[in-house]
Amino acid sequence: MLKHRNFMWSTLYAQYKCARIFGMDKKTRIIIAVIALAVAAFVVVTPSVFAQTGTATMAASASAASDEAVDPRAYAEWIYSVFNYVYNHYIDEVDPKVLYEGAMRGLMDAFGDPHTMYLDSSQQRSMDDTVNGSFGGVGLLISKLVVNSPDEPSYVLVSQPLKGTPGWYAGIEPGDLIIKIGDIDTSTLTMDEVLGLLRGQIGTSVEVTIRRGKSMEFSVVLERALIETVTVEYGMIAESPAKTGYIKISEFSALTDKKIQEALDYFKTQNYDSLIIDLRGNGGGLLMGAELVADKFISEGTIVSTKGRNGVVKSEYKASKRRTAIPEGLPIVVLIDGSSASASEILAGALKDTKTGYLVGERSYGKGSVQQSLSLGFNDGAKYTVEKYYSPTDTNIDGIGIPPDLEVTFPELSESDKEIYTKLMNANLLYDYAKDHPGMTEADVVAYADELYKEYPMDKLYLRRIIRIYANRTREDPLYDYEFDTQLKAAVDTVVRKDFATLLSSVKTLKEIELEREAATAEE
């Protein structure tokens, strides 16, 4: 062992000295030395160049080319060998940092996991800022299709601009597509890469290209600011025939459960008899936040568990009856959509599996994994998946999502209405009108829609919706848009049903859905 250790360190010193002889700067020599030390062993390389084929062969002390099981350290030795050999023999001089970052990025990408990735120094700094709570953002709630195709590019969809933020002041609207960030096509980026580009130091700027409708495209420069998100909003639904409370959760934080309790205390003063929890557009947040919120609605059993490699249970959070904060048997409907992910799926899945809540809307995103970060030596880092979430019925929804018990989608505009919509957006009338008419009432919205309809005869429901979006910039933003929100209407219709208890008891758990899916696949 001592002889091997002396050989390792003497070889390491030789590599450093050799690099110095070749005229490499100190930083380059250190990078090569660090890589050598990381693998803790070296390969004896013998290049043989053949003029006929233009190829070189590399012989290693370890037989990595055999079909037998190979010690993982042998692969690490080959990585070092190739790095060192190609660096010294490539026709042009190359910055070793470029090779290092390329190798690290390829290593993490090889896992085939969209949530496992290498982070260069800029991305690592952005993640550190996020964890420390000192990051700047543009104030947009966004989502992204998992699959990217030529027919349907996976651009970034704006779910909602947060009031009072750079995105809100720039007039970005729900439904807008961010097709570029700077010069980068967003369809080629993961969600984490998108967030890394949009976030940054407060006061710095980022340019985004917006597509609205079919063909309207324009660029907006947004100055990043401190984003203070209101994670919970609540109120009674005036249009409900019952006394229905409504809670909108946009993100799970350490304080979310306290805000939920505040909402439930308020509903008690209103003698509420039903509840709607809106998780649409909620991309997740803290696992603990979701656990604590779920515990207010579920009185016993497992809320969520996490498992590591080989299915070993790492943690399990169980409900406690003493923390239950609602009347027994309270009708609950949960709204979900394609942007409901991670922590919001933990809550939705727990309520579904325990038959505490009925799900309405669209299939959720499908992120059921836990990541851990790793800091590296050049102010860079990596993050990698270490665990997966499991619902109360021991089901993981990663890459699958949670299907609603009642699917409800928003109506699509006709082709002619889309053309009219694009024409209206290109005219830029709405922004100026809302600015010149601050504090528009609902009657004003209806009247202006009737006036616009004469020149832009499109679906009046959408027309009023568009006007409200602009009007809300100069008035108190309402908690919901009941006229337009078909999913919320369906939730209200469901939660007030006389047979709600029977309806809820008949829904399938995530495990039952999983078994049906596996059986169907087996038959194929």
Side-chain angles (χ1 to χ4, degrees):
M1 177 65 73
L2 181 62
K3 182 178 180 182
H4 174 73
R5 188 180 300 154
N6 289 339
F7 172 75
M8 179 183 73
W9 284 106
S10 63
T11 309
L12 174 62
Y13 176 73
Q15 290 288 335
Y16 182 85
K17 193 171 182 180
C18 180
R20 188 173 184 180
I21 292 173
F22 279 120
M24 300 177 189
D25 59 26
K26 184 177 180 181
K27 182 179 178 182
T28 303
R29 299 198 304 271
I30 291 174
I31 288 177
I32 291 179
V34 167
I35 293 175
L37 183 59
V39 298
F42 297 111
V43 180
V44 179
V45 179
T46 308
S48 300
V49 180
F50 297 91
Q52 294 93 332
T53 62
T55 61
T57 60
M58 299 175 66
S61 58
S63 179
S66 93
D67 292 333
E68 300 175 4
V70 178
D71 187 324
R73 288 173 296 182
Y75 291 112
E77 292 169 359
W78 275 100
I79 291 173
Y80 166 75
S81 299
V82 172
F83 181 98
N84 193 35
Y85 180 77
V86 175
Y87 177 79
N88 285 298
H89 292 84
Y90 185 72
I91 187 170
D92 297 320
E93 289 188 6
V94 181
D95 183 350
K97 183 180 179 182
V98 173
L99 300 182
Y100 162 77
E101 290 186 348
M104 293 300 295
R105 190 168 286 112
L107 174 66
M108 303 309 287
D109 287 349
F111 288 97
D113 176 0
H115 308 298
T116 293
M117 65 188 67
Y118 169 71
L119 304 170
D120 61 27
S121 56
S122 174
Q123 293 168 318
Q124 179 67 22
R125 183 172 59 251
S126 177
M127 189 179 78
D128 290 341
D129 288 344
T130 301
V131 172
N132 296 329
S134 59
F135 70 92
V138 296
L140 300 174
L141 296 180
I142 57 176
S143 62
K144 203 173 191 296
L145 289 175
V146 177
V147 179
N148 182 35
S149 67
D151 294 332
E152 194 171 8
S154 181
Y155 292 130
V156 176
L157 174 66
V158 177
S159 303
Q160 179 186 343
L162 300 176
K163 187 176 181 180
T165 63
W168 187 83
Y169 284 119
I172 295 176
E173 302 177 8
D176 281 351
L177 294 175
I178 301 176
I179 61 174
K180 284 186 181 179
I181 302 175
D183 294 325
I184 303 175
D185 182 337
T186 60
S187 69
T188 65
L189 302 174
T190 66
M191 179 61 92
D192 288 298
E193 289 171 331
V194 169
L195 293 175
L197 291 172
L198 292 178
R199 291 174 174 174
Q201 286 188 326
I202 295 170
T204 59
S205 297
V206 58
E207 183 178 4
V208 297
T209 301
I210 300 294
R211 175 177 294 171
R212 182 172 297 162
K214 262 188 174 181
S215 57
M216 183 180 178
E217 294 182 7
F218 55 93
S219 295
V220 177
V221 177
L222 305 171
E223 183 176 310
R224 299 181 179 97
L226 179 64
I227 306 300
E228 298 178 329
T229 307
V230 177
T231 62
V232 178
E233 297 177 277
Y234 60 88
M236 299 297 290
I237 296 183
E239 294 83 359
S240 173
K243 294 181 179 179
T244 305
Y246 173 80
I247 301 176
K248 169 69 176 175
I249 308 175
S250 59
E251 185 181 20
F252 288 93
S253 70
L255 300 176
T256 300
D257 67 304
K258 293 181 175 59
K259 292 297 293 182
I260 294 296
Q261 188 59 57
E262 179 184 300
L264 296 175
D265 291 342
Y266 167 74
F267 294 151
K268 287 179 184 177
T269 68
Q270 304 299 307
N271 298 314
Y272 79 123
D273 56 18
S274 51
L275 178 65
I276 294 174
I277 302 172
D278 193 345
L279 299 176
R280 293 174 298 177
N282 184 329
L286 295 181
L287 169 62
M288 181 184 296
E291 292 171 340
L292 293 173
V293 170
D295 209 354
K296 293 186 180 297
F297 303 107
I298 300 170
S299 59
E300 60 181 357
T302 299
I303 288 175
V304 64
S305 62
T306 64
K307 297 181 184 181
R309 184 176 291 190
N310 299 322
V312 176
V313 175
K314 295 283 187 171
S315 65
E316 186 174 20
Y317 189 92
K318 289 184 173 291
S320 171
K321 193 163 188 175
R322 64 183 176 82
R323 289 192 287 264
T324 306
I326 60 168
E328 186 176 351
L330 178 75
I332 299 175
V333 166
V334 183
L335 284 165
I336 58 172
D337 66 6
S339 299
S340 305
S342 195
S344 61
E345 290 175 302
I346 290 174
L347 176 58
L351 294 175
K352 178 177 175 60
D353 269 358
T354 58
K355 300 198 175 183
T356 305
Y358 187 88
L359 275 52
V360 172
E362 301 167 79
R363 183 180 291 271
S364 65
Y365 179 82
K367 183 182 183 294
S369 58
V370 186
Q371 281 70 45
Q372 197 168 72
S373 61
L374 177 68
S375 295
L376 301 175
F378 300 101
N379 296 319
D380 54 348
K383 68 173 185 174
Y384 54 100
T385 299
V386 292
E387 298 172 1
K388 288 191 174 182
Y389 300 126
Y390 287 80
S391 74
T393 57
D394 199 34
T395 308
N396 178 257
I397 50 83
D398 198 50
I400 300 169
I402 301 175
D405 300 311
L406 174 63
E407 184 175 27
V408 180
T409 59
F410 287 99
E412 289 281 337
L413 284 174
S414 66
E415 290 303 316
S416 60
D417 277 353
K418 288 178 181 179
E419 292 179 7
I420 297 170
Y421 173 85
T422 303
K423 182 181 176 183
L424 175 60
M425 291 299 101
N426 281 322
N428 292 320
L429 297 174
L430 301 177
Y431 180 82
D432 292 336
Y433 188 89
K435 186 178 178 181
D436 295 337
H437 298 80
M440 292 174 66
T441 65
E442 188 58 27
D444 294 332
V445 170
V446 173
Y448 185 46
D450 290 339
E451 181 182 334
L452 279 178
Y453 185 80
K454 297 173 184 175
E455 187 173 353
Y456 302 96
M458 60 177 290
D459 188 311
K460 280 194 176 182
L461 182 68
Y462 271 90
L463 196 54
R464 290 192 292 270
R465 168 64 171 166
I466 299 165
I467 296 170
R468 285 193 197 99
I469 290 172
Y470 282 91
N472 290 342
R473 288 168 169 76
T474 61
R475 65 180 186 180
E476 185 178 351
D477 200 3
L479 185 58
Y480 53 82
D481 184 345
Y482 196 78
E483 182 190 38
F484 178 79
D485 197 339
T486 54
Q487 293 176 339
L488 179 58
K489 283 182 179 180
V492 170
D493 291 342
T494 301
V495 82
V496 300
R497 284 178 55 163
K498 300 294 185 184
D499 63 342
F500 182 82
T502 303
L503 178 69
L504 184 60
S505 66
S506 68
V507 302
K508 296 175 182 177
T509 65
L510 291 174
K511 177 59 69 177
E512 289 171 329
I513 294 171
E514 179 184 65
L515 292 174
E516 287 182 356
R517 183 172 60 250
E518 290 175 352
T521 302
E523 288 179 2
E524 293 175 0

